[in-house]
Amino acid sequence: MAEALIALGGNVGDVRATFDKAIANICGMTQADLLARSSDYTTPPWGDEQQDAFVNACIAIDTRLDPLSLLQTLHKIEKRFGRDRANERRWGPRTLDLDLLAYADAEIDRPDLTLPHPRLFERAFVLVPLVEIRPDGSIGGRSFRDALAALPTDGIERLPPRGQCST
């Protein structure tokens, strides 16, 4: 078994309900155990800023799948929830985005998979929920918390648990 860190994002439809269903699919289709799930966060769009805000979260799973098989399964799950990678606008609106951030201590540099994720340390919208579930986490000697401290977090807000009112 290996621990994998996965970022979830989306800004089309009921994203939080999609996350719940997608996480169930991830655990079922990857023969994984869910180790941790962050809160959901509303975040400003990144890259292409002319679109609705996103909802982002992170999970940690324990899986028997190898990294490439895990990535392929994540892409199948995205497609199941309406994502069409071949015809979408880069960094544009989407129902579900699943990014494999890290897989144990694997370092992979292939055309179809780079681990750790090449933009992990540039994205506060990923690091905020990641620090929530792995506050002392690091990759390659670089701390998630230290990387987050160097980035602006304007507009990133923790959402209340589903079914609860905000205060």
Side-chain angles (χ1 to χ4, degrees):
M1 297 288 275
E3 182 175 298
L5 300 174
I6 300 167
L8 298 90
N11 68 342
V12 175
D14 185 347
V15 177
R16 297 179 83 189
T18 298
F19 283 4
D20 291 343
K21 293 172 191 167
I23 291 168
N25 274 258
I26 291 167
C27 291
M29 293 174 68
T30 65
Q31 305 145 24
D33 294 321
L34 182 64
L35 301 175
R37 185 202 194 286
S38 74
S39 302
D40 295 333
Y41 291 83
T42 183
T43 63
W46 189 90
D48 178 353
E49 298 177 7
Q50 302 305 310
Q51 59 183 315
D52 291 338
F54 276 75
V55 176
N56 290 95
C58 285
I59 61 171
I61 62 169
D62 222 0
T63 183
R64 283 182 165 65
L65 293 185
D66 64 85
L68 191 55
S69 296
L70 177 56
L71 179 67
Q72 291 167 343
T73 302
L74 294 177
H75 287 176
K76 286 178 191 172
I77 294 167
E78 288 177 339
K79 189 172 185 172
R80 180 178 282 184
F81 286 91
R83 181 154 185 202
D84 181 1
R85 283 181 171 264
N87 294 309
E88 70 186 14
R89 193 169 82 226
R90 185 170 190 197
W91 297 316
R94 57 200 58 185
T95 55
L96 181 64
D97 182 27
L98 299 173
D99 284 338
L100 181 55
L101 302 174
Y103 182 97
D105 294 326
E107 291 185 21
I108 300 171
D109 189 7
R110 300 171 37 141
D112 52 351
L113 177 61
T114 303
L115 288 175
H117 192 285
R119 289 174 294 285
L120 166 63
F121 292 106
E122 302 168 10
R123 296 176 168 177
F125 66 86
V126 171
L127 288 168
V128 167
L130 190 56
V131 166
E132 180 185 333
I133 63 171
R134 292 294 179 262
D136 298 320
S138 64
I139 294 177
R142 190 159 183 207
S143 154
F144 300 151
R145 189 184 303 270
D146 290 347
L148 178 59
L151 296 172
T153 57
D154 302 341
I156 299 176
E157 296 179 20
R158 184 185 208 167
L159 294 168
R162 287 172 53 94
Q164 295 185 13
C165 298
S166 60
T167 55

